[in-house]
Amino acid sequence: MFAVIASLSSAAAQSLPGDFVYLRDIDPSIIQDIRYATSNNFVGRPLAGYDAGECVVKREVGLRLKAVQQELAAQNLSLKMFDCYRPARASLDMVKWSQNGRETASERRYNPKIAKTELFRLGYIASRSQHSTGAALDLTLVDLRADNSAKYDPTKTYADCTAPVEARAPEGSVDMGTGYDCTDPKGHTAATSINAEQRAWRKRLVAAMARQGFVNYSKEWWHFSLPGAGGAAYDFPIQPRRN
């Protein structure tokens, strides 16, 4: 009887609303680095609602990501998730951050040319994000044959997100020309200020995602959404996944 109660309690703790799922339950081979659950992001701390570094998505989105991953695996590549479902409270947390009247050196790494008060007006951050519907994603590619062992060191001073990959904070992924969440024209998907190899990686990612119906956001090479899979915005916190 105790085992049954414990099992029911665990299931209740992990239940998700609507048609949301943990991506690990769909495809555990997809690498996850949920940055807003850490201090390694433009705010410099975990955002409200990120109680665990888990990618949560709508089921259809997860199944399509699995199909993308299967295609990439044959090329010794993998998807790497930076952000998936985002609680609405996290977007409001970003709004408060943008209005706090301070800009630190670590924050400027992500927006070296744009004041953070301008990020919403210019379309880099939204107070109501499609991420909160479970149909938007931030991601990149990992070359599984490369040395991806370098880790972010919070005590180290890194160059800004537009600098050469050797000087930027390590992300354990292919060089897309900028770091993740780089609010700069160089981060625009079709930017001409990056080299041919970096452009080729971006095109490869966009093409792989497009084959499963995902659409890229032109100002962010890392941002994709699945039209028609969204709906209402949610605000439930991201909790640890239980096996």
Side-chain angles (χ1 to χ4, degrees):
M1 181 66 174
F2 174 78
V4 173
I5 294 173
S7 176
L8 289 173
S9 175
S10 176
Q14 192 177 341
S15 62
L16 296 171
D19 196 30
F20 284 90
V21 295
Y22 286 92
L23 182 60
R24 290 190 203 277
D25 290 335
I26 300 291
D27 191 337
S29 75
I30 297 176
I31 300 168
Q32 297 190 28
D33 181 12
I34 308 303
R35 298 276 288 275
Y36 298 146
T38 75
S39 62
N40 183 18
N41 58 59
F42 66 88
V43 177
R45 56 169 172 75
L47 287 176
Y50 283 82
D51 299 335
E54 289 287 346
C55 175
V56 173
V57 292
K58 287 290 183 69
R59 182 176 297 277
E60 180 185 0
V61 172
L63 292 173
R64 290 179 184 245
L65 287 173
K66 180 181 178 71
V68 175
Q69 181 76 346
Q70 289 174 337
E71 176 188 336
L72 293 173
Q75 307 166 50
N76 289 304
L77 298 172
S78 173
L79 291 174
K80 183 173 190 176
M81 314 304 299
F82 288 131
D83 194 33
C84 303
Y85 158 74
R86 179 184 305 165
R89 70 191 74 179
S91 294
L92 295 179
D93 201 2
M94 290 180 183
V95 173
K96 292 178 182 178
W97 164 82
S98 73
Q99 298 171 347
N100 66 16
R102 301 187 305 271
E103 280 197 273
T104 67
S106 60
E107 291 172 353
R108 296 296 291 178
R109 284 199 295 113
Y110 293 89
N111 33 283
K113 300 174 185 175
I114 303 171
K116 69 182 188 181
T117 54
E118 293 291 289
L119 296 178
F120 288 88
R121 184 181 67 81
L122 295 175
Y124 288 107
I125 305 175
S127 57
R128 294 182 180 180
S129 173
Q130 194 175 8
H131 280 276
S132 298
T133 72
L137 311 155
D138 294 342
L139 48 80
T140 189
L141 291 175
V142 174
D143 183 348
L144 298 175
R145 295 164 297 189
D147 180 2
N148 299 306
S149 60
K151 303 297 182 185
Y152 170 74
D153 181 352
T155 67
K156 187 174 179 179
T157 300
Y158 295 103
D160 72 59
C161 59
T162 66
V165 67
E166 299 82 8
R168 301 195 307 260
E171 294 186 333
S173 55
V174 303
D175 180 13
M176 292 288 189
T178 75
Y180 167 56
D181 259 354
C182 189
T183 51
D184 185 89
K186 201 173 179 179
H188 296 186
T189 309
T192 57
S193 54
I194 58 176
N195 65 41
E197 184 177 5
Q198 293 161 346
R199 283 196 297 273
W201 278 121
R202 292 188 186 188
K203 290 178 180 178
R204 197 166 180 176
L205 175 60
V206 170
M209 295 295 287
R211 283 191 282 274
Q212 288 300 322
F214 291 99
V215 176
N216 173 251
Y217 175 47
S218 64
K219 287 189 175 183
E220 299 175 346
W221 60 256
W222 55 86
H223 181 97
F224 293 83
S225 59
L226 184 63
Y234 287 77
D235 190 37
F236 63 90
I238 302 170
Q239 301 287 352
R241 170 183 168 273
R242 291 171 174 79
N243 296 323

